[in-house]
């Protein structure tokens, strides 16, 4: 795997090996201390990323301050010194030991200015923000007010356009997959239709991946759903006529209404239909190996570029490399469900 480290934009790529061989005190940055916070929905692997940020920054002779409860905690000055041992025994834990919060007032530039002043007051020269694209906008706001920021993609939804990986997705899909397998047993035994609702308010990645991985007959995702329930009913009747004992429908949260959908399907088909909403159990739990590994590399990478004086960047994983983008550029990127993969998901269980 190639680790590419973009220092000053596309023309000045430096391999991570070159960075490793550079002494941090040779670098031009005046960064003495950085902060780190987790923001938005928690995701398994955030702790692994936090651990990597702390340990890598300390290796670079830069102090680290942990900020509790996201941007809310920053405004309330809930700031603690972090040492290497502060992040002991957390790599395997779900959630985030720093806590997280939604803080809507952070959209206000005056509040961002206040937060930047708080950072300066506490000697925080730069901030790693572990969260989703909402959290990136907060980081961008802080950067506009003179605080160096780097974002790390932390969300189970995989809905950040600039990166092919987000921290927590792998754990969430494996948790959901195991749960769906269990529902399938009951569904087959009782010859029922089962609608299983998975998370993803705006994005269907969890539904798509778990639907394919569990052999679901129908996968409903907000990016593609046509609200043609009759087609769904026809599919169920067709599969029953073919002798299938179950019919699994994976429904993304963004479409929702699984319980009323089940009632309508049962009335139309005469087949017993049940809804199961998996909910927050998909967001918790011990991170998978993949989430721990990627989170560790991304956290360390974020610490490195922040210690190097970079700002307004986000870490991403693309085509086998860990890279970083300007936040503005990253937020302007679009991500769509791959047509070919979606087409396959529609055909495999028919
Ligand atoms: P995520 O980071 O997972 O996308 P949210 O969208 O809830 O989750 O954003 C997390 C937090 O980031 C919000 O509670 C808020 O504090 C901050 N945030 C979200 N959007 C903005 C914005 N447009 N400007 C500044 N800060 C924002
Ligand atoms: O973490 C992402 C996510 O799980 C979305 O799929 C969902 O819409 C959202 O969080 C719900 O989070 P909360 O209920 O904590 O606002």
């Amino acid at each position: 795997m190639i680790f590419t480290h973009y220092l000053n934009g596309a023309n000045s790529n430096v391999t991570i090996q070159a960075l490793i061989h550079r002494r941090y005190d040779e670098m031009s940055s005046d960064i003495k201390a950085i902060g780190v916070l987790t923001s938005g929905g928690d995701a398994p692997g955030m702790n692994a990323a936090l651990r990597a940020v702390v340990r890598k920054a300390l290796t670079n002779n830069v102090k680290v301050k942990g900020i509790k409860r996201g941007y809310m905690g920053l405004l309330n000055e809930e700031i603690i010194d972090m040492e290497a041992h502060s992040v002991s025994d957390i790599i395997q834990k779900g959630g985030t030991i720093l806590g997280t919060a939604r803080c809507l007032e952070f959209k206000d530039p005056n509040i961002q200015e206040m937060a930047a002043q708080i950072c300066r007051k506490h000697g925080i020269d730069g901030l790693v923000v572990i969260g989703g694209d909402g959290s990136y906008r907060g980081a961008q706001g802080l950067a506009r007010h003179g605080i160096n920021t780097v974002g790390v993609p932390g969300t189970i939804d995989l809905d950040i356009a600039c990166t092919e990986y987000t921290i927590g997705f792998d754990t969430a899909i494996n948790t959901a997959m195991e749960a769906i397998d269990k529902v399938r047993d009951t569904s087959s035994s009782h010859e029922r239709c089962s609608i299983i609702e998975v998370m993803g308010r705006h994005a269907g990645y969890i539904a798509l991946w778990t639907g394919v991985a569990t052999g679901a007959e129908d996968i409903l995702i907000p990016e593609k759903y046509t609200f043609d329930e009759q087609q769904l009913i026809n599919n169920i009747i067709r599969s029953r006529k073919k002798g299938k004992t179950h019919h699994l429908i994976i429904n993304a949260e963004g479409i929702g209404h699984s319980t009323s959908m089940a009632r309508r399907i049962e009335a139309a088909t005469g087949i017993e239909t049940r809804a199961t909403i998996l909910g927050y159990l998909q967001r918790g739990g011990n991170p998978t190996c993949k989430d721990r590994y990627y989170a560790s590399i991304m956290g360390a990478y974020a610490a490195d570029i922040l210690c190097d004086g970079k700002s307004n960047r986000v870490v991403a994983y693309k085509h086998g490399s860990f890279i970083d983008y300007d936040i503005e550029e990253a937020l302007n990127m679009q991500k769509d469900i791959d047509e070919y993969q979606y087409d396959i998901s529609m055909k495999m269980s028919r």
Side-chain angles (χ1 to χ4, degrees), residues 40-43 102 154-159 198-203 206 253-254 279-280 282-283:
D42 65 305
R102 316 260 185 201
T155 168
I156 64 164
D157 289 341
L158 196 70
D159 61 347
V198 298
M199 271 186 153
R201 195 172 287 164
H202 305 291
I206 296 176
E253 178 192 354
Y280 293 104
Q282 296 157 94
R283 222 158 78 177

Side-chain angles (χ1 to χ4, degrees), residues 175-191:
T175 303
M177 182 185 73
E178 284 178 22
I180 296 165
D181 285 346
K182 291 186 168 87
V183 175
R184 184 191 181 119
D185 290 344
T186 291
S187 196
S188 301
S189 304
H190 286 261
E191 299 180 52

Side-chain angles (χ1 to χ4, degrees), residues 170-171 287-294:
D170 190 60
T171 306
T288 58
C289 181
K290 180 171 181 177
D291 273 330
R292 296 180 202 193
Y293 182 83
Y294 279 56

Side-chain angles (χ1 to χ4, degrees), residues 39-41 71 101-104 106-107 112 131-135 137-138:
S39 169
Y71 293 122
R102 316 260 185 201
C103 172
L104 294 183
F106 210 76
K107 293 182 180 177
Q112 292 165 8
D133 48 13
S135 304
R137 291 187 195 281

Side-chain angles (χ1 to χ4, degrees), residues 56-77:
K56 192 66 178 77
L58 292 174
T59 310
N60 297 344
N61 294 318
V62 169
K63 291 195 168 70
V64 187
K65 295 185 187 255
I67 296 151
K68 294 184 162 184
R69 300 185 181 84
Y71 293 122
M72 183 81 79
L74 177 58
L75 294 171
N76 292 332
E77 300 187 48

Side-chain angles (χ1 to χ4, degrees), residues 257-298:
H257 303 289
S258 297
T259 307
S260 56
M261 198 186 281
R263 273 198 299 270
R264 288 192 297 276
I265 286 173
E266 182 164 316
T269 62
I271 296 167
E272 248 189 331
T273 303
R274 295 281 192 274
T276 304
I277 298 168
L278 296 184
Y280 293 104
L281 72 82
Q282 296 157 94
R283 222 158 78 177
N286 298 350
T288 58
C289 181
K290 180 171 181 177
D291 273 330
R292 296 180 202 193
Y293 182 83
Y294 279 56
S296 297
I297 304 298
M298 285 181 156

